[in-house]
Amino acid sequence: MVRRARHLDPSAELDLRKLRYFLAVAHHLNFSRAAEELLVAQPALSRAVRALEADLGVTLFQRDHHKVTLTPPGTALVREADMLLSRAAAARRTVQAAGRTPRTLTIGFRPGIIITDVVQQFTKACPGAAVNAIRIEWDEQEAAVADGRVDIAWIRTPIAHGDLLITPLFDDPEVVALPAAHPLTAYDSVSLADLANQPMLRYDAAPEHEIGRPSGKRGIRTMEEKLEAVALGHGLALVPETAAAYYQRPDIAYRPVPGASPYQVALATTSDTAKRPEAQIFISTAVAVNARNAAQRGGAAR
């Protein structure tokens, strides 16, 4: 299909509703399923996409009776639309947060990282502020901060920093999770060479941390799912030491892995959030609590 070029107003604004509709179709490559997800009638969805194409002066999808595919402009718009919608959501949350009284901090944390002590100390230091804590997974820890779902998050590396402000806290060594009856449980520690020929599980689509590699089984996203796969004998898994301490179960054993690169636990926030007085107090409280705990651990080891 050839679309005639027409004069475009460079000041014309993109309609966020049309962008959301476009992304749903781009995800499913099927107008019917996209309409079901959006809870709109398919004709209305089709009209919105055609209107967006008219606004931009390009064809976003190639359509026939058998399939829907993205055109090169459509592929480019997927990337841009994701960023625009994320920024719009972040702006909404920032404005709403500014209007809340008392001021509220939404804190994200990864599984196995205990944040209670820091939150309690913060509420003593900043009694006028409230704290909401929500769990975040490995594949959303950066986006959750960047788009404003959380104000500050405990994260584990690796993470693409982007424009986030990162405050390192402590190293989190890797240990290997083994089925309780696995032969390697006979050893006090397990070397990287011992793991070289073992089936290793990792999260779907996660970047390699060290020697973890895909299991070929889909659907592993959470720590609980990973440990269940270990217990069922699907493979072994490298996990952070903090998570191993938190997730104790009789059918799984953990062993240190000397030579494995540790994760780093850190706080992540945006430059805008970092300007808020209560956020500054929270971060300084977390750093102080971490330093105190490290000193106590060092004293206990002597």
Side-chain angles (χ1 to χ4, degrees):
M1 178 176 69
V2 178
R3 183 179 296 276
R4 283 183 187 172
R6 65 185 182 89
H7 176 71
L8 297 177
D9 181 358
S11 66
E13 296 180 355
L14 285 173
D15 186 323
L16 295 182
R17 179 184 63 87
K18 293 176 186 174
L19 287 177
R20 282 192 292 269
Y21 284 12
F22 160 76
L23 280 179
V25 178
H27 174 72
H28 292 285
L29 293 179
N30 183 291
F31 278 80
S32 296
R33 287 197 291 272
E36 290 175 4
E37 176 188 306
L38 295 166
L39 300 179
V40 300
Q42 184 175 333
L45 174 60
S46 297
R47 286 195 297 271
V49 171
R50 290 194 182 95
L52 179 60
E53 290 177 320
D55 291 342
L56 296 172
V58 298
T59 299
L60 299 172
F61 297 103
Q62 293 291 353
R63 313 162 176 85
D64 59 34
H65 294 299
H66 303 290
K67 63 181 180 179
V68 175
T69 58
L70 283 163
T71 63
T75 300
L77 184 59
V78 168
R79 296 189 295 269
E80 297 297 329
D82 274 330
M83 289 189 291
L84 284 171
L85 292 175
S86 293
R87 289 169 184 163
R92 175 187 291 273
R93 293 186 181 98
T94 298
V95 171
Q96 290 173 338
R100 286 197 291 263
T101 305
R103 298 297 296 275
T104 300
L105 281 177
T106 300
I107 304 301
F109 63 94
R110 292 291 307 280
I113 299 177
I114 307 299
I115 69 172
T116 309
D117 196 3
V118 173
V119 173
Q120 290 174 339
Q121 293 299 319
F122 167 73
T123 54
K124 291 177 183 178
C126 197
V131 175
N132 294 326
I134 64 172
R135 166 177 162 152
I136 55 175
E137 295 295 340
W138 64 270
D139 57 351
E140 60 183 348
Q141 58 180 6
E142 179 183 5
V145 178
D147 68 18
R149 276 175 283 164
V150 301
D151 298 307
I152 303 170
W154 268 269
I155 59 94
R156 289 191 186 97
T157 57
I159 184 172
H161 291 194
D163 295 327
L164 300 185
L165 300 180
I166 305 296
T167 303
L169 293 177
F170 60 91
D171 285 344
D172 197 357
E174 285 192 306
V175 300
V176 63
L178 310 151
H182 195 281
L184 289 177
T185 60
Y187 301 97
D188 292 333
S189 64
V190 176
S191 70
L192 293 173
D194 291 331
L195 299 178
N197 295 317
Q198 295 288 334
M200 302 299 296
L201 303 172
R202 69 180 180 94
Y203 296 126
D204 288 345
E208 301 287 355
H209 184 61
E210 273 299 313
I211 62 170
R213 50 185 184 271
S215 66
K217 303 178 187 303
R218 301 300 298 170
I220 296 179
R221 180 170 181 263
T222 68
M223 183 64 67
E224 291 86 351
E225 291 167 347
K226 181 185 282 188
L227 295 179
E228 196 64 35
V230 171
L232 291 171
H234 295 163
L236 313 184
L238 289 169
V239 301
E241 188 177 64
T242 52
Y246 186 81
Y247 290 98
Q248 292 290 319
R249 44 189 290 178
D251 52 357
I252 288 179
Y254 299 103
R255 294 292 184 270
V257 184
S261 296
Y263 295 91
Q264 185 179 71
V265 174
L267 295 179
T269 190
T270 63
S271 56
D272 288 338
T273 299
K275 297 173 185 176
R276 295 166 52 182
E278 65 273 19
Q280 295 172 7
I281 294 172
F282 190 93
I283 292 171
S284 63
T285 299
V287 171
V289 168
N290 177 71
R292 183 200 66 194
N293 292 343
Q296 290 175 346
R297 289 192 298 269
R302 288 195 293 269

